[in-house]
Amino acid sequence: MPRHREEKWFGLLSFGFFILLFALFFIIVPNYSIEVSDFFNDIKMQKVIPNVLFPAPKTHHPIVYETVMRFCIIFGLFQFFVLALRFYDRSHVSKVAETISNIVIWFGAAYMFNLLLSESPSFWFPFIGGIIAVFGASIIARSLVTLLFWRR
């Protein structure tokens, strides 16, 4: 079996675990669907700078933030398992770098949701900036791994 076909199984494994975990949180957390609905119904347009409106929740939603934070932590830990499988399978450097990038994203998002959980609703815009910074850090991590371990 060609290597690129084997790589698809790691993606399917991750996607399956993502769906399972997503559904599990809706089952485990009491009234979570109501909490999520309340969160989205609470979003209103707020002025960020003159003539610029951006969607933001008006009130604090700790149950939603804590659940998403826990989801990110568990899925981030699962990515370590995927990384171990990639090392065991001797996956291509780009795939290992992609998994490391995913670890940075999920743990970075968990950290940002933890900050959002402990702050007031006015922290929403710094939270958005932090999420953007996490994506930047994941791109840097992916690039560094690729550059450091690329075999020509």
Side-chain angles (χ1 to χ4, degrees):
M1 182 182 291
R3 174 73 82 200
H4 69 280
R5 285 193 181 172
E6 293 173 8
E7 295 291 340
K8 289 180 183 179
W9 289 109
F10 294 121
L12 286 173
L13 178 67
S14 287
F15 182 68
F17 187 78
F18 181 91
I19 297 296
L20 176 72
L21 191 61
F22 185 80
L24 198 60
F25 273 102
F26 270 92
I27 293 169
I28 292 174
V29 178
N31 300 321
Y32 190 60
S33 59
I34 295 168
E35 295 290 338
V36 170
S37 177
D38 289 346
F39 170 77
F40 284 109
N41 289 332
D42 190 40
I43 292 180
K44 305 293 182 223
M45 298 304 280
Q46 292 184 4
K47 188 181 287 189
V48 181
I49 54 175
N51 300 324
V52 176
L53 296 174
F54 207 80
K58 289 187 123 185
T59 60
H60 199 55
H61 297 274
I63 293 172
V64 173
Y65 303 151
E66 182 178 6
T67 304
V68 174
M69 177 193 70
R70 290 178 183 205
F71 178 92
C72 291
I73 290 170
I74 294 170
F75 199 71
L77 290 172
F78 179 76
Q79 291 301 306
F80 277 109
F81 173 71
V82 172
L83 182 64
L85 288 176
R86 288 201 184 279
F87 280 129
Y88 176 77
D89 193 49
R90 294 189 176 122
S91 292
H92 194 267
V93 172
S94 65
K95 292 297 185 177
V96 171
E98 176 184 330
T99 305
I100 290 172
S101 175
N102 290 341
I103 291 169
V104 171
I105 287 173
W106 289 107
F107 280 111
Y111 175 73
M112 292 310 301
F113 274 101
N114 185 44
L115 289 178
L116 185 61
L117 178 63
S118 63
E119 296 291 333
S120 68
S122 64
F123 187 72
W124 182 256
F125 295 114
F127 164 77
I128 298 296
I131 291 293
I132 292 168
V134 165
F135 277 100
S138 75
I139 292 169
I140 291 170
R142 184 178 188 158
S143 299
L144 283 175
V145 170
T146 302
L147 286 172
L148 290 174
F149 299 103
W150 190 269
R151 294 186 186 136
R152 296 176 188 194

